[in-house]
Amino acid sequence: MGGTDGRGVRGALSTQRAEDSSESREEEQAPNGQGPNMLLPGGTGRPPPLNLTHRAPPWREEYLGQANLHVFEDWCGGAVGHLRRNLHFPLLPHMRTTVRKLAVSPKWKNYGLRVFGFIHPARDGDVQFSVASDDNSEFWLSPSESPAGAQLVAFVGKTGSEWTAPGEFTKFSSQVSKPRRLMASRRYYFELLHKQDDRGSDHVEVGWRAFLPGLKFEVIGSAHISLYTDESALKMDHVAHVPQSPASHVGGRLPQEEPRADMLRPDPRDTFFLTPRVEPSSLENVLEPCAYAPTYVVKDFPIARYQGLQFVYLSFVYPNDHTRLTHMETENKCFYRESPLYLERFGFYKYMKMDQEEDGEEDQQVQRRAFLFLNPDDFLDEEDDGELLDSLEPTEAGPARSGRRLPLPAARAPTEAGATPTAPTSPGPAHQQTPRRSRALSWAAKAARPLPLLLGRAPPPRAAAAQQPPKVYVTRVRPGLQAPPGALKPLSPGGPPWPPFPGVFLRPRPLPRVQLRPPPRPPRSRGYRTGGSQATEPRPPSQAQATQGSQEGPARLLGHAAPTENLNTSSETRPVTSFLSLSQASRPQLPGAEEEEEEEEGDDAAPGDEAASEDSEEAAAGPALGRWREEAIDWQRTFSVGAVDFELLRSDWNDLRCNVSGNLQLPEAEAVDVVAQYMERLNARHSGRYALLRIVNVEKRRDSARGSRFLLELEVRERGGSRLRLSEYVFLRLPGARAADADGDGESPEPAPAASARPDGRPELCRPLRLAWRQDVMVHFIVPVKNQARWVAQFLADMAALHTRTGDSHFSVVLVDFESEDMDVERALRAARLPSYQYLRRTGNFERSAGLQAGVDAVADPSSIVFLCDLHIHFPPNILDGIRKHCVEGQLAFAPVVMRLGCGSWPGDPHGYWEVNGFGLFGIYKSDFDRIGGMNTEEFRDQWGGEDWELLDRVLQAGLEVERLRLRHFYHYYHSRRGMWGTRGSRGRKGARREGP
């Protein structure tokens, strides 16, 4: 057989798999100096040599005509390097089968293939190989039948973006190998790796040709390949026969680089559990005892079904544990408590105050303000967010902020057009505007109605209006609310309609006006730019005054056209405001962004338009009164900004909407103050025996009525001794919170202390009764399984590695097997190097609730902790310590938040989200579990999903607190539910060995 030992998966994994705290891949997958024999992340260690297979198994004649095929499903990415990062590659594929030629196209997505076997040349001579695929692929060939000698001879791409069409063997130079001398009397080991993402026409094929001019590549068929070994009778956990070649390992070692996620950086919390602990007995009399009964406990309080989620509160943590997924906030900015649509449209400019220029003038374009909501109805609902961008409608501008009217372009003057202005008619009752309900402020629409024009002139604006700062309103029409039929009639027959949202303007400066159709062009003098949109920028003061003094007829007020009674008036005198132009003009722009307006001539222009275009081009060479002005970019613009701490905007409520935010951050001053008080009491009790070295971890659970509970984890040095770990619960009691206020049950043997012994009335530390955690308590991991061979093998390897790294023997693994067919679970448990385990076999369909209940029932000690677990979990090395610290019999249960990895993501480069809604990973004392009635096996008999929320409801009603924290390096591996629990797909080939993901 091959070079790996014959003890099955445990023997192979013990030397080849990397089971460190931050990743569970091969040793070369450790990018930050981590290896499989390292104790913890960031440590030092030397990776073991690759476990290559040097000797092939015995070969038989019946192996001819096909090759071995291993399939790795549900893994994103298009590069072969992505395949090597798969947790189960190369030993534990999703499926084992065979192929009859080296041309495979499953017509599937997000998978990887490993085809291996032997090539039998037809004749002696020099042979060239070529590989073609979509996406990337690699073809490896050994000069002998030994897998350890395989060499990369041809490949398609390295990044995942390269691909070829079927049969395109010469697209890349890397596809074609150099000539290789082969002999017909020998067989040569080969290996073909292929990775396909979710796009393209998946295929991979290998061709060969004799090294002669003009010959084409031909696909290697069944007459020239054979199996490496027969796997049809082997179970999925038998991996000793799987060849391990350089193709399985090369390229996995990444160069040393900074971690992409802050959570991957070393933290003292990760290794602090290895430090010897100060004996709890020596700390009992440091603080006076006090009753502990927080007001947020909902004992015997009726809770609606699945509403326990609303009664779970979060704890504050110091120092920063970097559990916030900052590397995922490019796609998800929920941490900032701003509307995603608002951030996409306006960004963070509202937090910046642009500095004024030296002449005292401000750039009005930059002075935008955030959304202003005063009423609950003005806030956007979650179901309305997706329609906001499509429903933003532009409006015409309201009255000017100064007493100066915007001058009309010379080409638009009534005297030039030859039109006679007429007096406007005031709209009657039938023409009165009916305001629409929108997201704009109600008072804004009333205060800024369009004013009727009197005798061709707009009434002078009020003085108060000139002093008001510019405002930005974003309005939105609610669906289903229509205005009355006569509400939107034009001011006069043939006149322009009322604006969609009167008086509510999107930008503080005038909006450009363009015509919907090119008007007839009267004769004009050269030098004026014409055609297309007219300029709306204010002219220089001299020109503006001259124009205002010479113009006659109706004037426009920021885009409001003067109504006339002459329907035949030329469009030169009645410019129509373009809705499209307003939409473009109302888009948000960055400070100093350059706006370029291009004028286009239509195909249906008059024959004389060519001359007009020439005139416009000539006018472009010199100054023109009606030309668009390009905005200059102010590279010297500066701004003022204050320090912003967005953590202060968060609360301890269990936020179920944001899944990238980390643990709540405890202010440093508060943590240091509590630690200082405790160290003062400690040294007063022990005569200065202990010296504080550093604060490793402080966790706070807030109770605004009675006080706050703290978990202090301090590194101290004993006088004349070594470093020790102090990890204790303390209670910061508020003044006036008497012990009688607590819902005591009369079991406390100690008298109730006074409310506060401090003369200044400040909160005082005390020792909460019945709130001490045990370091040596037994932890039982309860896991139900069925047809999950590769995940069971990985889970057992992780548990064995946890025992090796920590030296902790106070834990047990309880596997409840629902008649797995793809592996011998009991045999795998016996082979695993675990301190303790139990194997339970059940019949029938898979039932998670029933499996968990059966596992808990198998635990005899009621004073031990049971941890309801999943199979696809990567555990940090301090998981046992974290479970014990946050589980207190009769008081605390622990529901850690796991990070769900995305498709193609792995612990060395975690991309995903925190599972803030799931409570399936749950630690609790067995006595408390039995007291609340255990799992609901009757209602959740043939289904899973929801049983964790139902259990949470009963835990809270029993009076227990549920500690909820995000744990570093605590991951849930990505997997799909296709083929889950042994169900077979209709596309599987006969004889293929397959398991659920």
Side-chain angles (χ1 to χ4, degrees):
M1 295 295 291
T4 55
D5 61 33
R7 292 179 299 166
V9 64
R10 181 62 217 149
L13 291 179
S14 62
T15 56
Q16 190 268 339
R17 309 290 286 181
E19 305 298 339
D20 60 275
S21 64
S22 65
E23 55 201 72
S24 296
R25 269 285 298 133
E26 287 82 4
E27 51 84 21
E28 66 280 6
Q29 292 287 339
N32 301 309
Q34 303 169 7
N37 61 341
M38 293 183 186
L39 183 62
L40 295 161
T44 59
R46 298 179 58 186
L50 299 180
N51 188 27
L52 301 181
T53 304
H54 294 273
R55 186 177 57 183
W59 185 83
R60 301 176 182 177
E61 287 290 338
E62 55 265 26
Y63 289 173
L64 280 172
Q66 52 188 346
N68 297 94
L69 172 63
H70 287 185
V71 182
F72 298 85
E73 289 193 50
D74 306 318
W75 195 250
C76 298
V80 176
H82 297 151
L83 175 61
R84 293 192 179 98
R85 295 180 185 179
N86 188 291
L87 176 69
H88 306 293
F89 183 84
L91 296 179
L92 297 169
H94 194 99
M95 177 190 297
R96 296 172 180 168
T97 183
T98 60
V99 291
R100 296 188 177 276
K101 62 191 307 185
L102 298 188
V104 184
S105 178
K107 293 185 178 181
W108 196 235
K109 59 184 179 180
N110 291 331
Y111 67 86
L113 299 181
R114 186 190 188 203
V115 185
F116 57 94
F118 297 106
I119 285 182
H120 301 261
R123 62 183 63 87
D124 298 346
D126 293 336
V127 178
Q128 271 187 314
F129 294 90
S130 181
V131 60
S133 62
D134 183 354
D135 296 299
N136 290 179
S137 61
E138 294 179 359
F139 180 71
W140 294 70
L141 185 67
S142 175
S144 63
E145 63 180 20
S146 172
Q151 302 173 2
L152 179 62
V153 297
F155 64 92
V156 175
K158 292 292 187 181
T159 65
S161 59
E162 303 87 353
W163 58 275
T164 72
E168 191 178 13
F169 288 110
T170 58
K171 180 177 181 179
F172 302 102
S173 61
S174 62
Q175 287 181 256
V176 182
S177 71
K178 295 180 179 180
R180 292 185 172 267
R181 172 71 64 172
L182 302 182
M183 302 180 63
S185 60
R186 301 177 60 182
R187 59 177 179 268
Y188 301 87
Y189 175 82
F190 79 92
E191 190 164 334
L192 174 63
L193 301 179
H194 172 231
K195 187 67 186 72
Q196 169 66 23
D197 61 8
D198 57 349
R199 296 173 297 176
S201 303
D202 60 320
H203 67 92
V204 61
E205 60 270 18
V206 178
W208 62 351
R209 68 182 180 186
F211 187 56
L212 295 175
L215 295 183
K216 295 184 178 181
F217 287 100
E218 297 180 358
V219 174
I220 303 178
S222 59
H224 304 287
I225 59 175
S226 66
L227 293 174
Y228 178 81
T229 188
D230 185 7
E231 301 177 296
S232 59
L234 300 178
K235 290 186 176 293
M236 294 299 297
D237 62 328
H238 292 175
V239 298
H241 67 283
V242 177
Q244 300 187 56
S245 68
S248 311
H249 304 273
V250 72
R253 179 179 296 276
L254 302 177
Q256 294 285 343
E257 60 182 9
E258 288 293 320
R260 297 186 181 181
D262 287 342
M263 188 170 55
L264 298 181
R265 299 180 183 273
D267 190 279
R269 295 179 179 89
D270 299 334
T271 59
F272 196 47
F273 68 94
L274 297 175
T275 305
R277 185 185 177 189
V278 178
E279 287 297 331
S281 58
S282 62
L283 304 175
E284 290 182 355
N285 298 323
V286 172
L287 300 175
E288 64 178 7
C290 58
Y292 176 72
T295 58
Y296 49 75
V297 173
V298 290
K299 183 178 182 180
D300 300 329
F301 184 82
I303 300 178
R305 189 65 174 271
Y306 298 155
Q307 293 304 306
L309 292 167
Q310 309 299 328
F311 296 93
V312 175
Y313 299 93
L314 304 178
S315 295
F316 296 82
V317 174
Y318 174 84
N320 190 350
D321 57 355
H322 300 289
T323 52
R324 174 182 167 188
L325 305 181
T326 54
H327 62 295
M328 299 298 299
E329 291 182 353
T330 302
E331 299 83 10
N332 190 344
K333 298 182 177 65
C334 61
F335 174 81
Y336 292 97
R337 304 299 177 186
E338 298 283 357
S339 169
L341 301 178
Y342 174 81
L343 289 179
E344 181 181 356
R345 191 171 178 85
F346 298 101
F348 287 93
Y349 285 112
K350 74 174 184 179
Y351 296 97
M352 305 160 57
K353 180 180 179 182
M354 299 300 165
D355 296 335
Q356 296 184 1
E357 300 179 1
E358 295 180 0
D359 56 0
E361 296 182 359
E362 295 187 4
D363 188 357
Q364 297 180 358
Q365 180 182 355
V366 183
Q367 296 300 324
R368 295 192 179 96
R369 296 196 176 183
F371 288 101
L372 181 60
F373 299 112
L374 298 182
N375 300 321
D377 294 337
D378 294 325
F379 284 91
L380 295 178
D381 300 328
E382 293 182 2
E383 61 270 12
D384 297 335
D385 290 346
E387 304 173 1
L388 179 57
L389 287 179
D390 298 333
S391 60
L392 289 177
E393 297 185 6
T395 64
E396 295 187 21
R401 290 180 289 113
S402 62
R404 182 178 59 188
R405 295 194 303 268
L406 182 66
L408 290 174
R412 300 238 181 212
T415 56
E416 295 181 15
T420 303
T422 58
T425 58
S426 302
H431 298 143
Q432 295 295 331
Q433 176 78 7
T434 301
R436 296 184 181 181
R437 286 186 58 86
S438 68
R439 294 295 183 185
L441 302 180
S442 58
W443 54 266
K446 297 178 181 178
R449 291 182 180 276
L451 302 177
L453 301 177
L454 304 176
L455 299 178
R457 293 182 178 272
R462 300 179 181 178
Q467 300 176 359
Q468 295 180 355
K471 297 181 175 62
V472 177
Y473 303 112
V474 177
T475 61
R476 179 183 176 195
V477 178
R478 293 187 178 181
L481 297 178
Q482 302 292 338
L488 299 178
K489 292 183 178 180
L491 295 176
S492 61
W498 285 90
F501 299 98
V504 181
F505 53 93
L506 292 176
R507 301 179 63 179
R509 67 175 184 176
L511 301 178
R513 298 186 298 271
V514 298
Q515 302 180 31
L516 295 178
R517 61 181 63 88
R521 307 193 177 197
R524 60 189 180 278
S525 58
R526 298 173 65 88
Y528 286 87
R529 185 181 180 91
T530 59
S533 303
Q534 300 296 326
T536 59
E537 296 292 343
R539 299 177 181 176
S542 59
Q543 297 179 3
Q545 293 175 4
T547 306
Q548 291 179 7
S550 62
Q551 283 181 343
E552 297 178 1
R556 307 182 205 280
L557 182 60
L558 291 178
H560 291 281
T564 61
E565 295 180 357
N566 187 2
L567 301 180
N568 297 323
T569 304
S570 171
S571 59
E572 287 284 347
T573 62
R574 295 187 297 103
V576 181
T577 301
S578 170
F579 189 89
L580 177 61
S581 177
L582 286 177
S583 301
Q584 297 174 351
S586 61
R587 293 176 183 171
Q589 299 181 10
L590 300 180
E594 181 179 0
E595 300 179 26
E596 297 182 358
E597 302 290 343
E598 299 181 3
E599 301 175 357
E600 300 179 0
E601 297 292 340
D603 296 338
D604 56 349
D609 287 347
E610 296 181 8
S613 177
E614 295 176 359
D615 294 343
S616 300
E617 293 177 359
E618 294 179 3
L625 296 179
R627 183 185 176 187
W628 289 96
R629 186 184 68 180
E630 295 182 354
E631 295 189 14
I633 301 176
D634 187 2
W635 299 108
Q636 296 179 329
R637 177 181 288 117
T638 59
F639 67 94
S640 301
V641 66
V644 181
D645 188 0
F646 291 95
E647 284 287 347
L648 299 178
L649 303 179
R650 303 178 64 191
S651 68
D652 57 354
W653 177 66
N654 187 23
D655 188 1
L656 303 178
R657 297 172 298 178
C658 190
N659 54 15
V660 298
S661 58
N663 290 321
L664 297 173
Q665 298 302 306
L666 179 65
E668 182 179 20
E670 185 176 358
V672 171
D673 181 67
V674 173
V675 171
Q677 291 187 45
Y678 186 84
M679 290 302 300
E680 181 181 358
R681 298 289 189 87
L682 178 65
N683 287 322
R685 177 69 181 177
H686 295 281
S687 303
R689 179 180 176 183
Y690 299 99
L692 177 65
L693 297 180
R694 62 176 172 176
I695 302 175
V696 176
N697 183 47
V698 177
E699 299 173 7
K700 171 191 173 182
R701 172 64 70 87
R702 181 173 57 189
D703 184 359
S704 58
R706 294 175 181 170
S708 300
R709 180 243 301 166
F710 290 86
L711 173 63
L712 303 181
E713 293 194 277
L714 313 175
E715 185 176 5
V716 299
R717 183 185 295 275
E718 191 175 9
R719 183 190 304 150
S722 59
R723 300 187 179 193
L724 297 175
R725 169 194 181 195
L726 189 151
S727 181
E728 293 294 322
Y729 280 104
V730 299
F731 186 66
L732 187 63
R733 186 175 49 202
L734 293 177
R738 299 183 178 88
D741 296 338
D743 299 330
D745 51 8
E747 298 179 2
S748 176
E750 304 184 37
S756 177
R758 297 178 66 95
D760 54 3
R762 294 177 56 190
E764 185 182 19
L765 286 179
C766 61
R767 177 173 59 87
L769 294 175
R770 301 189 301 276
L771 193 65
W773 67 278
R774 296 167 48 193
Q775 188 177 11
D776 58 348
V777 63
M778 194 74 174
V779 179
H780 304 271
F781 291 88
I782 314 297
V783 186
V785 299
K786 180 174 183 177
N787 290 335
Q788 299 277 288
R790 57 176 183 163
W791 290 108
V792 170
Q794 184 63 45
F795 178 82
L796 295 179
D798 283 346
M799 290 289 101
L802 182 67
H803 172 56
T804 302
R805 296 188 194 101
T806 63
D808 194 336
S809 300
H810 294 86
F811 75 93
S812 172
V813 174
V814 181
L815 286 185
V816 183
D817 180 24
F818 285 82
E819 296 181 309
S820 294
E821 300 175 355
D822 57 352
M823 71 176 300
D824 189 340
V825 178
E826 186 176 10
R827 172 181 169 274
L829 269 172
R830 290 195 302 265
R833 300 171 182 175
L834 299 175
S836 178
Y837 68 89
Q838 292 189 60
Y839 173 77
L840 303 177
R841 185 175 180 85
R842 291 180 62 91
T843 59
N845 296 329
F846 178 84
E847 301 177 17
R848 185 175 189 270
S849 295
L852 292 175
Q853 184 64 52
V856 175
D857 292 340
V859 177
D861 185 9
S863 296
S864 60
I865 299 175
V866 292
F867 188 77
L868 312 182
C869 191
D870 192 8
L871 194 61
H872 315 92
I873 302 298
H874 172 82
F875 296 97
N878 59 353
I879 183 64
L880 294 171
D881 186 72
I883 294 174
R884 295 184 180 116
K885 286 188 304 187
H886 299 102
C887 288
V888 178
E889 192 170 8
Q891 294 286 343
L892 288 180
F894 187 38
V897 186
V898 67
M899 181 181 177
R900 279 190 173 269
L901 297 178
C903 181
S905 180
W906 58 297
D909 186 17
H911 286 261
Y913 60 91
W914 292 110
E915 183 57 86
V916 295
N917 294 287
F919 286 77
L921 305 174
F922 202 82
I924 187 174
Y925 270 82
K926 184 180 185 300
S927 59
D928 295 329
F929 186 84
D930 295 337
R931 179 163 57 92
I932 65 175
M935 300 298 300
N936 187 347
T937 58
E938 294 297 328
E939 185 172 352
F940 298 93
R941 179 180 299 275
D942 297 325
Q943 61 179 349
W944 61 90
E947 72 280 355
D948 54 342
W949 290 351
E950 193 274 339
L951 176 66
L952 176 65
D953 293 343
R954 290 185 283 115
V955 169
L956 293 175
Q957 287 180 314
L960 296 177
E961 294 182 65
V962 176
E963 189 68 20
R964 189 76 164 156
L965 285 172
R966 293 160 174 83
L967 296 186
R968 295 165 48 87
H969 309 297
F970 190 42
Y971 304 114
H972 184 285
Y973 290 114
Y974 174 84
H975 68 91
S976 69
R977 298 204 173 191
R978 199 179 70 87
M980 199 83 166
W981 313 126
T983 57
R984 297 294 194 267
S986 59
R987 299 178 58 181
R989 284 189 55 185
K990 182 178 179 180
R993 297 293 301 178
R994 159 187 202 99
E995 62 145 16

